[in-house]
Amino acid sequence: MGMFKDSKRYKLFLADTGLFVTLAFRNKSYTDNVIYQKLLSDKLSANMGYVYENLVAQMLYTAVHSLFYHTFPSNKGGYNYEVDFLLSEGDKTMPIEVKSSGYLSRKSLDEFCCKYSDRIGRRILLYTKDFRQEGQTICLPVYYTGLPWLKTVTYCTR
């Protein structure tokens, strides 16, 4: 699958998430690989954000979406905000943030949408919980990525 870029920054993804997990965590012989075995049995207590991002990238790419991401410096300096995926939606941009945990903290998505508010269509958070909407953010389970939700999920009006 390769990489996608934001001017000078690159982000690499592997087309096969299973192979990615094996390459990232399998570092010992077949009989002594505790981290890899815990990961496969869903018992590893680590932030797996990069595995989820790779999975989402694989599904979006398979659905024939060009992959873009964006980074920009925070107002306070010292770190950058990062929006995981940007998809084109007509004349608007659909930012997508992927979270494996800590889904209530989505500062990058919020700051991006504030900074470029006139160019934002739907804003999506893919995470490990159930479907819901928080303000203008549509929160979807990660497995929705492989479904045709891009054309069907809309904001609730109140």
Side-chain angles (χ1 to χ4, degrees):
M1 177 169 40
M3 63 184 143
F4 62 98
K5 65 179 184 172
D6 170 20
S7 56
K8 297 177 186 148
R9 293 185 170 91
Y10 292 86
K11 199 169 199 180
L12 300 174
F13 291 100
L14 204 56
D16 183 325
T17 300
L19 181 58
F20 170 75
V21 168
T22 299
L23 291 173
F25 293 100
R26 184 169 186 151
N27 60 1
K28 298 204 176 193
S29 70
Y30 288 101
T31 58
D32 185 23
N33 206 329
V34 176
I35 292 176
Y36 185 65
Q37 293 302 323
K38 284 185 177 182
L39 179 65
L40 291 179
S41 63
D42 198 26
K43 294 181 181 174
L44 185 64
S45 59
N47 181 343
M48 301 306 295
Y50 48 92
V51 175
Y52 279 91
E53 282 182 27
N54 196 88
L55 181 64
V56 169
Q58 181 181 351
M59 288 191 281
L60 290 175
Y61 187 79
T62 301
V64 194
H65 293 287
S66 296
L67 302 180
F68 298 96
Y69 85 108
H70 183 69
T71 62
F72 57 102
S74 73
N75 294 335
K76 297 175 183 175
Y79 60 93
N80 288 334
Y81 292 120
E82 175 184 294
V83 177
D84 297 322
F85 301 98
L86 298 174
L87 300 183
S88 176
E89 188 172 48
D91 63 346
K92 300 287 185 180
T93 298
M94 180 193 317
I96 299 175
E97 182 78 15
V98 179
K99 294 286 188 181
S100 65
S101 63
Y103 66 92
L104 295 176
S105 171
R106 54 175 191 266
K107 188 76 171 161
S108 292
L109 180 63
D110 293 340
E111 289 294 325
F112 178 83
C113 291
C114 182
K115 184 174 182 175
Y116 300 107
S117 60
D118 61 329
R119 301 175 212 164
I120 303 299
R122 293 177 294 164
R123 52 193 280 176
I124 306 292
L125 174 73
L126 294 173
Y127 69 147
T128 59
K129 306 289 183 193
D130 293 330
F131 173 87
R132 68 190 228 194
Q133 183 170 339
E134 291 185 0
Q136 293 183 318
T137 302
I138 300 170
C139 304
L140 299 170
V142 171
Y143 62 81
Y144 269 48
T145 308
L147 302 174
W149 58 267
L150 291 175
K151 295 183 171 122
T152 60
V153 175
T154 58
Y155 295 123
C156 295
T157 55
R158 295 181 184 192

